[in-house]
Amino acid sequence: MNGSKVGRVFSGARPTGRQHLGNYLGAIRNYVALQDEYECVYCIVDLHALTTIETTENLRENIHEMALDFLAAGIRPEESIIFIQSHVPQVTELHTILSMVTPLGKLTDLPTFKEKVRQNPNNVNYGLVGYPVLMTADIVLYKTNVVPVGIDQAPHIEFAREVVRSFNYRFNTNVLIEPEMKNTEVPKVIGIDGKDKMSKSLDNHIEIADTPEETLARVMQMVTDPQRIRRSDPGNPDVCNVFSMHKIFSSPDEIAMVDVECRRAGIGCVDCKQLFAKNLNKRLAPFRQRRAEIEKDPNHVQDVLKDGARRARMIATQTIAEVREAVGLY
Ligand code: TRP
């Protein structure tokens, strides 16, 4: 481990393609910040994606676009490891070994599993049941100390800790490290529908790699205070998602101005949205510029992911050797 860093961080992200504001505020921003303190390993979990997706048609493109967003946002590949899960096949070996110390009932009791079954009753495959075991393998293969995830993943991290304890106890060893969870949840980012959490599948998202014009168009579609129908109606910023966004992306003076002027119909929703779009575009400009720079070299993303996998495999090979030894495999 690099001497100046306090431990190793690992996080996995499903390959969802171009990232949106929710991804940025909830995960990417933290991934970038953690690099200053930790040795970071960021994994694009393509195998996990296979547990739920119907087609792999867009898988490669989604991985590429997501990696591009991560790099443009400030993941530093000379320092951190960014790679694709299936490029380190040792994770599947560790998954199999860990599955032997995992009671089946524990997997089927998990709230995350029950939720997936509810969403997709016709695709309850074996891999889906084992999803948390594969996630545990991800984490422990890289001797992870800290896992930054949202609160929805808390049951998976607790599960991973239990599997590590079972494994170490059963084989009388301490080769596997119990990971700590670091909750990175920010206030829920609501989509442009003003109703649900921002997500690509609901098409209520704003992509960070859009052009300024596309961003403006998207912002103009945002649902505001439903009670404010005419321009002359006073509005209530407390129930308006555009105002929530101002609180993140605008200056204190602008936030105060919108708060006052909306309530007395001094500004209309169009003015308010234009100001937000302007500030959002200003904030995203350096990211977009870096993204365009990176795209000039068509092989850059591929090269980064390949080198990441090479470095990840070095750690994985070592861990697997220790695990095989501890288990007593021939
Ligand atoms: N289950 C995580 C999610 O849906 C993704 C994931 C896979 C992950 N492996 C991981 C997260 C390891 C943290 C660590 O978001």
Side-chain angles (χ1 to χ4, degrees), residues 259-325:
D259 196 2
V260 170
E261 297 301 327
C262 171
R263 285 181 210 278
R264 63 172 188 209
I267 60 166
C269 293
V270 172
D271 311 306
C272 177
K273 287 174 176 180
Q274 272 166 346
L275 179 63
F276 163 52
K278 189 184 91 186
N279 290 338
L280 178 57
N281 280 328
K282 199 159 87 192
R283 180 83 72 93
L284 291 174
F287 160 82
R288 289 167 174 171
Q289 200 182 335
R290 263 199 308 272
R291 200 180 197 278
E293 282 299 313
I294 297 170
E295 272 189 302
K296 281 185 192 155
D297 176 356
N299 296 324
H300 183 73
V301 172
Q302 228 182 333
D303 292 346
V304 164
L305 293 174
K306 197 170 159 190
D307 187 59
R310 181 188 62 78
R311 286 149 66 204
R313 272 194 303 268
M314 291 200 299
I315 307 170
T317 308
Q318 173 70 32
T319 307
I320 279 290
E322 291 169 14
V323 165
R324 294 179 64 102
E325 175 69 29

Side-chain angles (χ1 to χ4, degrees), residues 37-244:
E37 244 185 291
Y38 294 90
E39 190 186 322
C40 295
V41 182
Y42 296 127
C43 179
I44 301 177
V45 293
D46 57 346
L47 297 173
H48 276 114
L50 294 181
T51 60
T52 49
I53 60 180
E54 283 143 38
T55 161
T56 54
E57 213 179 327
N58 300 320
L59 184 60
R60 287 186 183 149
E61 190 191 328
N62 282 344
I63 290 172
H64 182 91
E65 293 290 327
M66 185 156 109
L68 189 50
D69 277 347
F70 277 21
L71 295 173
I75 304 283
R76 303 186 284 273
E78 325 75 43
E79 211 177 299
S80 305
I81 296 179
I82 171 168
F83 75 107
I84 300 171
Q85 185 181 34
S86 68
H87 288 184
V88 185
Q90 284 86 347
V91 76
T92 60
E93 180 176 354
L94 187 54
H95 165 268
T96 300
I97 293 172
L98 294 179
S99 75
M100 312 305 172
V101 296
T102 304
L104 184 57
K106 224 178 222 170
L107 289 169
T108 50
D109 278 350
L110 280 168
T112 42
F113 174 71
K114 290 182 180 160
E115 180 59 27
K116 290 271 167 62
V117 173
R118 249 196 309 277
Q119 286 167 355
N120 231 327
N122 299 319
N123 188 19
V124 184
N125 58 74
Y126 178 56
L128 185 66
V129 184
Y131 184 110
V133 186
L134 182 58
M135 182 164 160
T136 303
D138 277 333
I139 296 167
V140 301
L141 185 58
Y142 302 101
K143 304 246 166 161
T144 302
N145 306 108
V146 176
V147 187
V149 280
I151 197 72
D152 64 308
Q153 294 294 314
H156 285 159
I157 306 301
E158 191 45 45
F159 172 87
R161 293 168 59 85
E162 287 169 18
V163 170
V164 167
R165 288 199 292 269
S166 305
F167 178 91
N168 285 346
Y169 180 75
R170 162 97 173 260
F171 298 109
N172 193 23
T173 176
N174 56 11
V175 299
L176 299 187
I177 298 175
E178 239 181 274
E180 303 283 339
M181 167 164 168
K182 191 182 182 85
N183 183 8
T184 59
E185 204 84 66
V186 290
K188 187 155 127 185
V189 182
I190 301 292
I192 62 170
D193 56 5
K195 198 168 77 228
D196 293 308
K197 183 171 161 183
M198 188 176 283
S199 90
K200 197 169 178 168
S201 53
L202 294 173
D203 192 28
N204 66 358
H205 60 306
I206 298 177
E207 286 180 4
I208 54 178
D210 273 349
T211 64
E213 296 73 31
E214 287 165 338
T215 298
L216 177 62
R218 226 39 195 158
V219 168
M220 283 301 156
Q221 293 171 32
M222 285 178 76
V223 172
T224 57
D225 172 6
Q227 304 290 333
R228 189 174 189 194
I229 295 158
R230 283 173 299 261
R231 166 70 177 77
S232 54
D233 294 338
N236 179 6
D238 301 332
V239 299
C240 180
N241 189 31
V242 180
F243 186 61
S244 314

